[in-house]
Amino acid sequence: MAITLTERAACQIRQQLTKRGKGLALRLGIKKSGCSGFAYLFDYADEIQADDQLFESRGAKVVVKQDHLSFFDGSEIDYVQEGLNSTFRFINPNIDNTCGCGESFSLKTQEQNQEL
């Protein structure tokens, strides 16, 4: 299992945690949502829980619940700015398709879809 960060994403995570004044990592998750089925969740992790997996890349930390690991395995996270918008962008080999607006996605296997 691996999740990596680009330098831009790692820098953004470090900056946001510093600006917030607390927190250990960026917490990632997914939920059923949107026209394609799933959407990413972002939050701060102030503590590491028993069912969390911690990843560190380029000096920044990311936390994922163990039951969501298969959805993120092999992913690289980038941070991009397009005009006035900025966001984390996933390069995720587990995604089958994304919706036209780019806000939701479907996963490659139906078995994984039913786990959530």
Side-chain angles (χ1 to χ4, degrees):
M1 290 284 164
I3 296 173
T4 58
L5 303 170
T6 65
E7 186 57 44
R8 289 184 302 252
C11 182
Q12 180 65 18
I13 291 168
R14 291 190 305 266
Q15 286 177 353
Q16 289 302 312
L17 290 172
T18 299
K19 183 178 175 180
R20 186 172 178 251
K22 65 178 182 174
L24 300 172
L26 177 69
R27 181 176 296 282
L28 299 178
I30 63 171
K31 67 176 181 173
K32 289 190 175 191
S33 177
C35 53
S36 288
F38 295 95
Y40 291 111
L41 295 173
F42 300 95
D43 199 359
Y44 297 105
D46 293 329
E47 60 185 37
I48 306 302
Q49 300 170 358
D51 62 341
D52 284 340
Q53 177 71 44
L54 177 66
F55 297 91
E56 188 166 354
S57 178
R58 302 179 189 264
K61 297 177 182 176
V62 174
V63 174
V64 178
K65 294 277 184 211
Q66 288 180 4
D67 59 346
H68 286 192
L69 286 176
S70 63
F71 305 114
F72 291 99
D73 187 29
S75 293
E76 180 179 59
I77 303 168
D78 195 8
Y79 185 76
V80 295
Q81 293 183 310
E82 297 171 342
L84 298 175
N85 299 318
S86 56
T87 189
F88 287 106
R89 178 166 293 149
F90 285 79
I91 302 160
N92 186 339
N94 305 297
I95 291 179
D96 185 41
N97 196 14
T98 58
C99 70
C101 66
E103 294 297 318
S104 65
F105 57 89
S106 61
L107 297 167
K108 287 186 178 177
T109 66
Q110 289 299 320
E111 181 178 308
Q112 286 179 326
N113 288 349
Q114 294 170 356
E115 290 178 9
L116 289 179

